């Protein structure tokens, strides 16, 4: 388990496992890779879906005060003008005149005597910071002029604000209620890095929760607590998580209070999610810029107001990395060291692996029958290559909670062996009881 010191070896081990087992590949690898961009392989796409599904389940499925949305990624400049992104979504950029590398000024630590040096070549010959806008600009249609400018969204949030009225009118929801969205966002980060922690293309999971203004502080506290609990429930130990309130000078232009949920990554504490009290900034800004009223009439109180917004904004790709890092472990089973991903079953790419003891034709039909039975309910792997010990190790390494082994006795007694990942303990049970056994442990 990680301590509070940076642990580059743990990071390297997780990155190597992700590559070797098909979780995450460097993008465009056959062309030498493409600048901190990554592709999610067969196991990675499954796990990322599980992370997003776990979020959707807790935010949308298990509540009746939150609805979903899937807004466009491309947007007109008007949205980003009103939201403040065109003017203020910038990072301070400095160039090293010596080695030509670029850095975020707010990420450079001055030495004790106050000197700021280039982290790469240690030169002090750095340019003054200048603002660099992080938005990806493009053009729609064949003519690339000012009238065709569009932007890739740098956050999903604005989709919820510009659809506030549509959702209000079509769902009969009233504050307090929320709109949730999961999807890709794009930021032209100056210094992407630390694997998928900071990339230029990434996925977010954001909730905009609209409340009567007087209730905003109470809901802010509620969401900070709820969101912290979500990571703990999905298996991140509490001592590897912390809540960090922002100092007043750190707050974004729209926020009166923000607290980050942070995780102890192998390179130090890093943000998983920011919970912000955005007040009525966004709805007012879009109402003013669009000319549409974005307020709410509370009939019971006979009062019209612009709701305030509490926003828990999480990263799907970044939190997947945290879940992987927290789950990575090595222990000893049967006198041998094994690598095991102790992933929460909800997040594990495969829930069950079906393993015929041998490749012999006599076992295949029953093993396939068991696979068909389990596959209808859970995503499964089927593996009939190499020794059973090696196959168990392979499944441990990718976090599969259960292996079901079909052997020659199974043909006579209709029973299979179920092995649990963390304890490596095995039980033998009738195939007719298999689904109930798995469901009691997987349908948490
Ligand atoms: P940071 O300070 O790390 O740049 P931020 O405060 O700008 O992040 P938000 O705008 O609050 O981030 O975005 C919400 C969440 O989206 C973050 O907590 C993070 O999980 C995720 N996220 C933001 N930028 C990136 C990125 N470049 N790569 C991966 N995930 C990101």
């Amino acid at each position: 388990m990680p301590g509070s010191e940076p642990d580059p070896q743990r990071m390297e081990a997780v990155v190597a496992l992700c590559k070797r087992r098909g979780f995450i590949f460097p993008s465009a690898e056959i062309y030498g890779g493409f600048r901190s961009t990554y592709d999610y392989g067969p196991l990675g796409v499954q796990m990322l879906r599980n992370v997003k599904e776990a979020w959707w389940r807790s935010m949308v499925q298990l509540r009746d005060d939150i609805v979903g949305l899937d807004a466009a990624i491309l947007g007109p400049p008007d949205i980003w003008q009103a939201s403040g992104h065109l003017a203020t979504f910038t990072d301070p950029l400095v160039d090293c005149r010596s080695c030509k590398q670029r850095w975020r000024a707010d990420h450079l630590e001055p030495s004790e005597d106050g000197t700021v040096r280039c982290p790469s070549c240690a030169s002090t010959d750095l340019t003054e910071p200048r603002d660099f806008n992080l938005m990806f600009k493009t053009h729609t249609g064949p003519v690339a002029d000012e009238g065709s400018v569009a932007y890739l969204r740098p956050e999903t949030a604005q989709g919820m604000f510009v659809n506030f009225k549509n959702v209000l009118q079509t769902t009969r929801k009233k504050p307090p209620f929320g709109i949730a969205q999961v999807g890709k966002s794009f930021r032209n980060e100056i210094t992407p890095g630390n694997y998928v922690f900071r990339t230029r293309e990434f996925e977010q999971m954001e909730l905009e929760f609209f409340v009567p203004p007087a209730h905003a502080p109470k809901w802010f506290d509620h969401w900070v607590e709820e969101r912290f609990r979500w990571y703990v429930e999905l298996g991140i130990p509490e001592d590897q998580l912390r809540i960090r309130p922002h100092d007043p000078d750190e707050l974004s232009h729209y926020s009166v209070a923000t607290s980050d949920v942070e995780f102890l990554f192998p390179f130090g504490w890093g943000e998983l999610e920011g919970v912000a009290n955005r007040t009525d900034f966004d709805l007012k800004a879009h109402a003013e810029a669009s000319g549409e009223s974005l307020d709410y009439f509370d009939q019971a109180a006979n009062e019209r107001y612009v709701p305030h917004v509490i926003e828990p904004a999480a990263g799907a790709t970044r939190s997947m990395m945290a879940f992987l890092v927290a789950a990575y472990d090595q222990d000893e089973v049967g006198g041998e060291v094994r690598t095991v991903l102790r992933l929460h079953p909800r997040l594990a790419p495969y829930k069950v692996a079906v393993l015929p003891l041998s490749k012999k034709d006599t076992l295949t039909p029953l093993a396939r029958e068991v696979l068909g039975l389990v596959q209808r309910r859970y995503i499964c792997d089927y593996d009939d290559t190499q020794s059973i010990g090696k196959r168990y190790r392979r499944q441990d390494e990718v976090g599969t909670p259960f292996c079901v082994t079909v052997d020659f006795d199974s043909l006579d007694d209709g029973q299979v062996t179920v092995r649990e990942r963390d304890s490596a303990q095995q039980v033998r049970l009738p195939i007719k009881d298999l689904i109930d056994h798995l469901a009691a442990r997987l349908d948490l």
Side-chain angles (χ1 to χ4, degrees):
M1 285 291 119
S4 56
E5 293 299 310
D7 186 354
Q9 273 151 15
R10 185 179 183 81
M11 192 65 216
E12 278 165 28
V14 172
V15 172
L17 188 152
C18 285
K19 174 83 204 300
R20 185 172 72 247
R21 298 306 313 274
F23 281 84
I24 300 174
F25 305 125
S27 209
E29 200 182 7
I30 60 169
Y31 291 101
F34 181 60
R35 297 180 183 161
S36 297
T37 307
Y38 292 90
D39 297 342
Y40 290 74
L43 293 188
V45 65
Q46 201 57 53
M47 180 168 172
L48 187 55
R49 284 171 67 122
N50 294 344
V51 171
K52 292 183 283 185
E53 180 53 36
W55 186 89
W56 195 263
R57 180 184 151 85
S58 81
M59 289 304 206
V60 181
Q61 185 179 337
L62 297 180
R63 302 185 66 116
D64 63 359
D65 56 355
I66 299 178
V67 292
L69 181 80
D70 190 5
I73 286 173
L74 278 176
D78 314 58
I79 292 184
W80 311 107
Q81 188 74 50
S83 69
H85 281 81
L86 280 177
T88 61
F89 196 58
T90 55
D91 277 339
L93 172 79
V94 293
D95 289 300
C96 172
R97 290 196 186 90
S98 178
C99 73
K100 311 293 177 215
Q101 295 236 43
R102 294 197 150 156
W103 305 100
R104 254 175 78 167
D106 55 330
H107 284 178
L108 299 180
E109 287 283 336
S111 60
E112 266 173 25
D113 63 2
T115 321
V116 178
R117 291 181 181 278
C118 168
S120 176
C121 72
S123 163
T124 52
D125 193 7
L126 303 173
T127 62
E128 283 299 307
R130 60 201 158 85
D131 284 339
F132 172 74
N133 195 294
L134 300 182
M135 300 241 285
F136 277 103
K137 189 177 182 179
T138 186
H139 294 270
T140 52
V143 183
D145 60 13
E146 269 312 296
S148 65
V149 168
Y151 290 92
L152 300 191
R153 67 183 178 195
E155 60 174 30
T156 65
Q158 300 305 320
M160 277 81 107
F161 300 130
V162 300
N163 279 291
F164 173 73
K165 205 171 169 184
N166 284 336
V167 173
L168 207 58
Q169 284 171 351
T170 52
T171 62
R172 288 171 290 111
K173 294 283 174 214
K174 50 186 187 196
F177 84 100
I179 310 178
Q181 181 168 204
V182 174
K184 289 231 167 164
S185 294
F186 302 82
R187 296 181 188 178
N188 199 2
E189 299 276 4
I190 298 167
T191 46
N194 280 328
Y195 201 37
V196 298
F197 180 83
R198 187 180 304 287
T199 49
R200 296 197 170 100
E201 173 178 347
F202 54 96
E203 279 198 85
Q204 290 190 306
M205 309 181 290
E206 295 193 297
L207 168 70
E208 306 306 322
F209 200 74
F210 301 91
V211 301
H215 299 175
K218 182 188 82 178
W219 278 106
F220 176 77
D221 293 344
H222 167 86
W223 282 114
V224 172
E225 233 172 79
E226 271 289 294
R227 295 305 307 148
F228 185 88
R229 209 163 51 83
W230 185 77
Y231 295 97
V232 175
E233 277 176 9
L234 286 172
I236 299 191
E238 251 181 81
D239 62 355
Q240 293 170 34
L241 289 168
R242 71 177 186 192
I243 292 169
R244 192 184 67 81
H246 281 208
D247 292 333
D249 62 354
E250 227 188 311
L251 292 172
S252 311
H253 62 281
Y254 51 74
S255 171
V256 292
T258 297
S259 281
D260 290 343
V261 180
E262 296 190 336
F263 172 67
L264 188 54
F265 284 95
F267 49 82
W269 289 99
E271 172 185 333
L272 289 178
E273 166 157 1
V275 181
N277 178 349
R278 297 181 76 122
T279 68
D280 54 7
F281 177 87
D282 305 272
L283 289 180
K284 273 197 171 151
H286 286 300
E288 200 176 305
S290 67
E292 290 274 348
S293 70
L294 298 176
D295 51 19
Y296 172 74
F297 181 64
D298 181 345
Q299 277 179 337
N302 195 25
E303 187 193 0
R304 188 171 285 284
Y305 63 87
V306 178
H308 282 212
V309 173
I310 307 302
E311 174 197 72
T317 38
R318 195 181 278 187
S319 56
M320 172 170 154
M321 175 174 162
F323 287 122
L324 282 166
V325 167
Y328 182 89
D329 198 12
Q330 288 193 316
D331 64 0
E332 231 184 80
V333 171
E336 269 182 50
V337 177
R338 70 161 176 170
T339 299
V340 54
L341 280 189
R342 299 191 192 280
L343 288 173
H344 189 283
R346 210 183 274 299
L347 302 182
Y350 293 126
K351 311 300 177 206
V352 180
V354 177
L355 315 173
L357 190 65
S358 119
K359 246 181 170 163
K360 289 224 169 73
D361 286 350
T362 37
L363 277 189
T364 309
L366 184 61
R368 291 246 156 231
E369 200 180 301
V370 170
L371 175 69
L373 187 75
V374 184
Q375 220 167 25
R376 270 199 291 267
R377 188 125 174 200
Y378 303 109
I379 185 132
C380 294
D381 191 17
Y382 182 86
D383 186 2
D384 60 4
T385 57
Q386 298 189 301
S387 76
I388 192 73
K390 281 211 176 105
R391 282 184 271 163
Y392 283 155
R393 297 292 171 278
R394 276 210 289 272
Q395 296 299 333
D396 290 342
E397 204 184 37
V398 300
T400 308
F402 292 101
C403 288
V404 175
T405 303
V406 178
D407 57 27
F408 293 101
D409 289 340
S410 309
L411 298 172
D412 301 323
D413 64 8
Q415 299 204 356
V416 286
T417 302
V418 180
R419 175 184 177 276
E420 196 269 333
R421 175 194 69 201
D422 292 341
S423 62
Q425 287 199 334
Q426 307 187 5
V427 291
R428 198 159 170 85
L429 47 84
I431 292 170
K432 67 174 174 45
D433 298 340
L434 179 60
I435 292 296
D436 284 349
H437 179 88
L438 295 172
R441 288 152 184 83
L442 287 172
D443 298 351
L444 303 165

